[in-house]
C-alpha cells in the first residue's frame, strides 16, 4: 500500500473514511466513473487504469468539464492489458488491491483474463465490482447498453413527457448515475461483510436493473394493481394539484394535493370558493377534472411573479419552488450554503469548480479535490508499490506495455 502521506492535501485525505483502501478503476464512459468518484472523494487510493492512447468515449478533452468532474482525485496508470508483459504486471497490482471496478461489456473482461474468476485466487480479499448494460447473465448479457437504451427498455420514456407527445428521455443520464450510485453502495456493503468474513466477492448491477428499480411506485402500480402508467407531463401521475404552474415571470412547482394542503392553498390563492366545488373536494375528484383544475389555478398564478407566490405559499406551509435554469441553481442561496460547487485548482484551467459530494458525514469533510491525472502520470510509483523494480518497469516500457509520458 502507499506510504502515509506527508503533504497537507494527502494528510487530509488520510483522515477520510476510505483512506487505506486501494481501488483499481477500469471504468469508462459514465456509470463506472460515477461509482468510483464516491470512493475517490472519500479518500480511497484510486488508480485509474487506462490503455495507451486512451479515449474513453466521453467525447471531450482530458481537461474538459466532464472528464475533470468524473475523474478527479485519482492517480493514473497506463498499461496495455493485451500485452503479456502488461497483463502480468497488472496481476501483481491486482494482488495489492481492495476493490476493482469495471463497466466493460460483459465478455470483454473474460477475453482480457481479468474477470473475477481470474483474480479471486490471486487476491481472495478483492471486491470485484461490475456495471453492465443488462446484467452479467441472461439473454441480453452480451449486448452493449447505454443510458438512453435503458431508459427506453426500462419503461422510463413511456411515462416521461406530455400525454400524446410520444416517448421522451429525461435530461440527465439517470441510469448511468443510478447504477454508479448503487454499485458504490454495494461495494460498501461488501466491505462491511469482508470485515466479518475476511473474504472479498463479486458485486454487480446493470443499467437495466437500475432503471427498473428507479421506476419505484410506477412499477408497483403495475405489479400490484395491474395498472399501466402513462405520461403525465409536469403533473404528478396521481396527485393534484402537484405540478408546474405559470407566474408573471417564470414557472413554479406547487405541491398541494393533500386535503390539508389543498385547503391552505385555496385560501392562500384567495379563492376559497374552490373548496366548495363538488368535484374538487377529493384528490380523486380533482384528478378526474385535472385539466380544469390546472387551468383555473394557472389563471390566478400568472397574475403575480414567482417570488411573490413562493413567499406566500411558503408562509402557508405549501411546498413550492421555482423552475430554475442550471445557472440559477448555482446562484440559489441554499445551493451555495450547501457548497455544491466545489473549488478545485486545475493545472491548465486554473481555478475551477466541480460538483461537490452530496453525502454529508458530520465531523468529516472531503475537502480535497485533486486534478485529473495525465495519462500514465503515476506509472512508475504505482508499479513500484506493486513490487516491480525500476528495471522491470523499464522493460515494460521497452516492450510497449506502458503508455503516457
Amino acid at each position: 500500500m502507499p506510504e502515509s502521506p506527508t503533504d497537507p492535501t494527502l494528510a487530509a485525505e488520510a483522515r477520510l473514511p476510505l483512506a487505506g483502501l486501494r481501488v483499481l478503476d477500469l471504468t469508462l464512459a459514465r456509470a463506472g466513473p460515477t461509482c468510483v468518484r464516491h470512493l475517490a472523494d472519500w479518500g480511497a487510493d484510486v488508480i485509474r487504469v487506462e490503455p495507451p492512447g486512451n479515449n474513453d468515449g466521453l467525447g471531450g478533452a482530458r481537461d474538459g468539464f466532464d472528464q475533470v468532474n468524473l475523474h478527479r482525485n485519482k492517480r493514473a496508470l497506463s498499461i496495455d492489458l493485451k500485452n503479456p508483459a502488461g497483463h502480468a504486471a497488472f496481476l501483481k497490482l491486482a494482488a495489492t488491491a481492495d476493490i476493482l471496478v469495471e463497466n466493460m461489456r460483459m465478455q470483454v473482461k473474460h477475453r482480457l483474463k481479468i474477470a473475477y474468476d481470474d483474480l479471486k485466487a490471486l487476491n481472495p480479499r478483492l471486491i470485484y465490482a461490475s456495471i453492465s448494460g443488462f446484467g452479467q447473465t441472461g439473454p441480453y448479457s452480451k449486448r452493449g447498453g447505454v443510458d438512453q437504451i435503458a431508459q427506453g427498455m426500462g419503461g422510463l420514456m413511456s411515462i416521461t413527457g406530455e400525454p400524446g407527445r410520444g416517448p421522451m428521455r429525461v435530461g440527465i443520464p439517470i441510469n448511468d448515475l443510478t447504477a454508479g450510485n448503487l454499485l458504490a453502495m454495494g461495494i460498501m456493503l461488501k466491505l462491511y461483510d469482508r470485515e466479518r468474513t475476511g473474504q472479498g466477492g463479486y458485486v454487480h448491477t446493470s443499467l437495466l436493473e437500475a432503471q427498473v428499480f428507479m421506476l419505484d411506485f410506477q412499477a408497483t402500480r403495475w405489479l400490484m394493481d395491474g395498472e399501466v402508467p402513462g405520461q403525465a407531463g409536469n403533473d404528478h401521475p396521481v396527485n393534484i394539484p402537484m405540478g408546474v404552474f405559470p407566474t408573471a415571470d417564470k414557472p413554479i412547482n406547487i405541491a398541494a394535493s393533500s386535503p390539508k394542503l389543498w385547503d391552505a392553498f385555496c385560501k392562500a390563492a384567495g379563492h376559497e370558493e374552490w373548496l366548495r366545488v363538488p368535484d374538487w373536494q377529493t384528490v380523486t375528484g380533482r384528478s378526474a377534472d385535472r385539466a380544469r383544475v390546472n387551468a383555473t389555478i394557472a389563471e390566478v398564478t400568472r397574475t403575480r411573479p414567482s417570488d411573490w407566490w413562493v413567499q406566500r405559499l411558503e408562509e402557508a406551509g405549501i411546498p413550492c419552488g421555482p423552475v430554475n435554469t442550471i445557472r440559477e441553481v448555482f446562484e440559489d442561496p441554499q445551493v451555495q450554503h450547501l457548497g455544491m460547487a466545489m473549488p478545485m485548482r486545475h493545472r491548465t484551467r486554473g481555478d475551477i469548480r466541480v460538483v461537490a459530494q452530496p453525502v454529508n458525514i458530520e465531523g468529516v469533510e472531503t475537502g480535497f479535490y485533486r486534478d485529473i491525472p495525465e495519462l500514465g502520470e503515476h506509472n512508475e510509483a504505482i508499479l513500484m508499490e506493486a513490487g516491480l523494480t525500476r528495471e522491470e518497469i523499464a522493460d515494460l516500457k521497452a516492450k510497449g506495455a506502458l503508455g503516457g509520458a
Side-chain angles (χ1 to χ4, degrees):
M1 297 297 294
E3 295 180 1
S4 298
T6 54
D7 70 68
T9 300
L10 295 182
E13 178 181 348
R15 294 191 293 270
L16 292 170
L18 300 184
L21 292 174
R22 169 168 286 170
V23 179
L24 300 186
D25 173 17
L26 280 73
T27 67
L28 67 164
R30 189 174 312 279
T34 296
C35 167
V36 175
R37 182 170 54 190
H38 288 293
L39 309 179
D41 283 356
W42 290 109
D45 173 30
V46 174
I47 298 170
R48 187 181 183 194
V49 181
E50 305 171 85
N54 179 51
N55 177 0
D56 78 354
L58 282 174
R62 198 174 186 89
D63 63 353
F65 62 89
D66 213 2
Q67 293 267 6
V68 171
N69 190 51
L70 281 173
H71 294 294
R72 65 206 190 200
N73 296 335
K74 300 178 182 181
R75 297 193 291 161
L77 170 68
S78 179
I79 192 164
D80 186 356
L81 298 179
K82 298 177 182 178
N83 183 306
H87 185 269
F90 174 79
L91 293 182
K92 290 185 179 181
L93 181 61
T96 72
D98 295 283
I99 301 160
L100 183 152
V101 187
E102 63 85 22
N103 64 326
M104 312 168 191
R105 283 199 187 206
M106 183 278 294
Q107 61 270 38
V108 172
K109 56 184 170 288
H110 296 283
R111 188 163 64 241
L112 292 173
K113 293 182 169 47
I114 57 167
Y116 177 60
D117 288 342
D118 299 309
L119 303 181
K120 64 181 179 181
L122 179 70
N123 183 353
R125 287 177 56 82
L126 179 68
I127 296 170
Y128 195 109
S130 298
I131 296 174
S132 61
F134 303 102
Q136 297 298 314
T137 59
Y140 301 165
S141 61
K142 293 184 179 181
R143 292 172 56 172
V146 297
D147 180 87
Q148 188 160 336
I149 304 301
Q151 286 195 35
M153 293 178 67
L156 181 61
M157 292 175 68
S158 76
I159 56 174
T160 303
E162 297 177 342
R165 296 286 296 274
M168 179 68 67
R169 68 181 293 276
V170 301
I172 58 171
I174 190 168
N175 298 297
D176 285 341
L177 301 175
T178 301
N181 293 336
L182 291 173
L183 190 67
M185 182 175 71
I187 290 169
M188 295 299 105
L189 294 171
K190 191 58 188 174
L191 278 169
Y192 181 75
D193 182 64
R194 193 179 74 169
E195 288 297 304
R196 297 181 297 177
T197 66
Q199 296 294 309
Y202 191 22
V203 181
H204 54 88
T205 189
S206 67
L207 303 187
L208 185 59
E209 288 169 286
Q211 178 55 80
V212 174
F213 172 77
M214 289 293 285
L215 290 177
D216 197 62
F217 79 96
Q218 296 281 44
T220 52
R221 287 174 71 183
W222 160 251
L223 291 173
M224 294 181 63
D225 292 342
E227 181 181 356
V228 179
Q231 294 167 302
N234 287 322
D235 293 327
H236 189 279
V238 294
N239 296 328
I240 186 169
M242 187 179 295
V244 177
F245 294 90
T247 73
D249 55 355
K250 61 184 290 186
I252 60 172
N253 277 301
I254 299 172
S257 61
S258 72
K260 179 180 179 180
L261 290 175
W262 172 243
D263 181 271
F265 174 73
C266 293
K267 293 175 180 176
H271 288 274
E272 292 189 48
E273 73 274 11
W274 294 345
L275 295 170
R276 295 187 290 274
V277 178
D279 292 341
W280 295 1
Q281 294 179 1
T282 65
V283 171
T284 301
R286 292 193 295 276
S287 183
D289 200 17
R290 180 183 298 266
R292 190 161 67 104
V293 172
N294 284 345
T296 301
I297 293 173
E299 285 300 311
V300 174
T301 57
R302 62 168 43 101
T303 63
R304 302 274 189 172
S306 57
D307 287 347
W308 188 91
W309 279 111
V310 169
Q311 180 178 347
R312 185 170 183 83
L313 296 180
E314 276 292 320
E315 290 172 352
I318 299 162
C320 62
V323 178
N324 288 331
T325 65
I326 303 301
R327 175 181 60 81
E328 290 169 331
V329 168
F330 287 99
E331 292 173 349
D332 185 277
Q334 183 65 23
V335 174
Q336 292 182 351
H337 169 78
L338 295 172
M340 289 306 298
M342 175 62 73
M344 191 178 92
R345 181 74 179 176
H346 189 274
R347 72 186 77 200
T348 60
R349 301 182 64 165
D351 292 326
I352 62 172
R353 297 183 297 168
V354 294
V355 181
Q357 259 289 333
V359 177
N360 301 291
I361 302 176
E362 290 295 318
V364 179
E365 298 290 338
T366 57
F368 77 102
Y369 280 81
R370 187 185 300 125
D371 197 359
I372 179 174
E374 296 292 344
L375 182 71
E377 181 176 335
H378 305 100
N379 282 355
E380 185 169 297
I382 291 168
L383 291 172
M384 290 183 69
E385 289 165 10
L388 278 73
T389 66
R390 283 192 169 87
E391 291 74 20
E392 289 171 320
I393 296 170
D395 185 56
L396 285 173
K397 291 180 181 177
K399 291 177 178 177
L402 298 180

